[in-house]
């Protein structure tokens, strides 16, 4: 299955939230590893999603992904 791979280049413990286009959180996790994988099938339907990288409560990066199966 398809995966989203998140590289932890920040040398910190960080959190990842993935939101759908309605702003609902469809995935949330803390990351301590240098690479972290999310199965696309866990997110739900086709559409636009936003991956937010959070350190100490601050969003440090946001990426938009589009899932089409």
């Amino acid at each position: 299955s398809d995966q989203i791979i998140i590289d932890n280049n920040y040398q910190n413990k960080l959190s990842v939230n993935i939101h759908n286009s309605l702003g609902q959180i469809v995935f949330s996790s803390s990351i301590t590893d240098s690479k972290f994988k999310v199965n696309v099938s866990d997110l739900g339907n086709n559409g636009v999603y936003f991956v937010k990288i959070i350190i100490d409560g601050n969003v440090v990066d946001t990426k938009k992904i589009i899932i089409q199966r």
Side-chain angles (χ1 to χ4, degrees):
S1 75
D2 293 327
Q3 295 179 325
I4 300 166
I5 299 173
I6 298 166
D7 287 323
N8 182 356
N9 299 324
Y10 296 97
Q11 309 295 320
N12 291 41
K13 180 180 174 188
L14 52 89
S15 298
V16 172
N17 287 350
I18 301 178
H19 300 255
N20 63 18
S21 59
L22 301 175
Q24 300 164 319
I25 295 177
V26 295
F27 180 87
S28 183
S29 182
S30 294
I31 299 176
T32 54
D33 299 334
S34 60
K35 280 194 186 302
F36 185 78
K37 297 178 183 177
V38 179
N39 288 323
V40 169
S41 59
D42 293 343
L43 298 181
N45 299 325
N46 290 350
V48 177
Y49 293 84
F50 297 91
V51 180
K52 295 189 177 188
I53 307 296
I54 301 162
I55 298 176
D56 295 330
N58 298 311
V59 176
V60 296
D61 199 4
T62 302
K63 299 288 184 198
K64 180 170 86 170
I65 58 171
I66 298 172
I67 296 176
Q68 296 177 324
R69 297 188 191 96

